[in-house]
Amino acid sequence: DGGITQSPKYLFRKEGQNVTLSCEQNLNHDAMYWYRQDPGQGLRLIYYSQIVNDFQKGDIAEGYSVSREKKESFPLTVTSAQKNPTAFYLCASSKTQGRTGELFFGEGSRLTVL
Amino acid sequence: GQSLEQPSEVTAVEGAIVQINCTYQTSGFYGLSWYQQHDGGAPTFLSYNGLDGLEETGRFSSFLSRSDSYGYLLLQELQMKDSASYFCAVRETGFQKLVFGTGTRLLVSP
């Protein structure tokens, strides 16, 4: 079955540590995204990538970094510069163009900073 | 700036009909999407309106009025499993990058 796989599902980190969240998709989608969700709030865009080896900052990119070396993979690194990293992180993918406005989401990674 | 407004919570009983409204102010507009998210889960796509009017998908319908910068999601024959958060999201460009609202929590009671 095609889909998006995020790992780990739960992650605990000490302050000052960088962590990397994995996102892999086998939907053959060109575009991939990282969103952050805080309790009771909507999704805010961190980074997105339309094609391999290219990515753009979203609305809240500070303290985060990404890479897009392969079409299937779009890992997110939460750096120690991110002041409030405890959140639910969602990876998504989509066809680049089209009229559907449809994103396919992974099951998310919940990061807690101790 | 970007702004999408939804009610924070809506309650209804099984079998009823409920409407969740979304008003938006964005720099560009290509269409309005709706997503459902159960607690702790992934958002799942429900519908998309690129043009004015009503789109129907089973028990769910979505409406868009571009002139009013307004849309709604209509859920009919409510079931307990419909208890979830519902998000509207605006597609601002030809690309699929979406801006999400803060979500409406729907509570369905017996």
Side-chain angles (χ1 to χ4, degrees), chain A residues 31 33 35 37 40-43 45 48 50 59 88 90 94-103 105-107, chain B residues 2 33 35 37 40-45 47-51 87 91 94-103:
Chain A
Y33 316 77
Y35 284 89
Q37 186 174 32
Q41 297 195 29
L43 285 68
L45 184 64
Y48 64 100
Q50 297 186 56
D59 300 317
F88 188 46
L90 288 157
S94 76
K95 298 176 183 178
T96 306
Q97 299 294 342
R99 299 172 57 83
T100 66
E102 181 176 9
L103 302 184
F105 284 88
E107 291 296 317
Chain B
Q2 305 162 342
S33 298
Y35 286 78
Q37 184 183 32
T44 55
F45 173 79
S47 68
Y48 175 75
N49 293 76
L51 302 172
F87 296 89
R91 182 181 165 199
F95 179 56
Q96 302 282 10
K97 183 167 75 76
L98 303 182
V99 177
F100 283 81
T102 53

Side-chain angles (χ1 to χ4, degrees), chain B residues 17-66:
Chain B
I17 299 172
V18 72
Q19 178 173 314
I20 299 174
N21 298 322
C22 174
T23 57
Y24 59 88
Q25 288 185 320
T26 57
S27 55
F29 184 84
Y30 274 67
L32 186 71
S33 298
W34 287 93
Y35 286 78
Q36 179 192 62
Q37 184 183 32
H38 288 97
D39 284 347
T44 55
F45 173 79
L46 292 176
S47 68
Y48 175 75
N49 293 76
L51 302 172
D52 284 1
L54 192 68
E55 294 282 342
E56 297 180 77
T57 309
R59 293 188 297 117
F60 295 176
S61 303
S62 58
F63 172 82
L64 174 66
S65 169
R66 296 168 72 114

Side-chain angles (χ1 to χ4, degrees), chain A residues 1-2 5-7 18-19 22-24 30 33 40 44 49 53 62-63 69 71 75 81-82 88 106 109 112:
Chain A
D1 284 337
T5 302
Q6 289 187 240
S7 64
N18 292 356
V19 294
S22 170
C23 179
E24 303 278 331
D30 287 314
Y33 316 77
R44 293 183 291 166
S49 168
N53 293 322
E62 185 175 351
E69 297 176 0
K71 186 176 184 177
Q82 168 49 232
F88 188 46
S109 292
T112 302

